[in-house]
Amino acid sequence: MPQQRQHDMGTGGACFCPKCEYRAEHQRGVPCQDERCPHCGAKLIREGSHHDALLQQKRQG
């Protein structure tokens, strides 16, 4: 049975690259992590997501 992802972040917001800080508007129905940065090829992260919070903690110390 395929794993079903639950995303409750709503519409709007932004996706960003954790490596080069590229930013793009979030596209409804397309998870940011399924998109790649056009500059460096890294997976994008949704602004305000759990992964964004983990990245901020890592950068702080």
Side-chain angles (χ1 to χ4, degrees):
M1 186 165 166
Q3 181 181 2
Q4 191 172 19
R5 293 188 276 181
Q6 180 67 28
H7 302 281
D8 293 326
M9 302 240 359
T11 60
C15 301
F16 71 94
C17 176
K19 292 186 178 183
C20 70
E21 300 299 322
Y22 165 82
R23 300 184 80 74
E25 183 178 335
H26 172 70
Q27 301 297 314
R28 183 177 178 183
V30 181
C32 291
Q33 62 187 345
D34 289 350
E35 298 289 319
R36 294 281 182 169
C37 175
H39 300 290
C40 70
K43 286 185 176 183
L44 299 182
I45 295 175
R46 180 80 180 264
E47 186 176 57
S49 70
H50 173 72
H51 292 105
D52 182 20
L54 291 175
L55 180 63
Q56 297 306 320
Q57 286 177 353
K58 183 177 178 181
R59 288 180 176 172
Q60 289 178 358

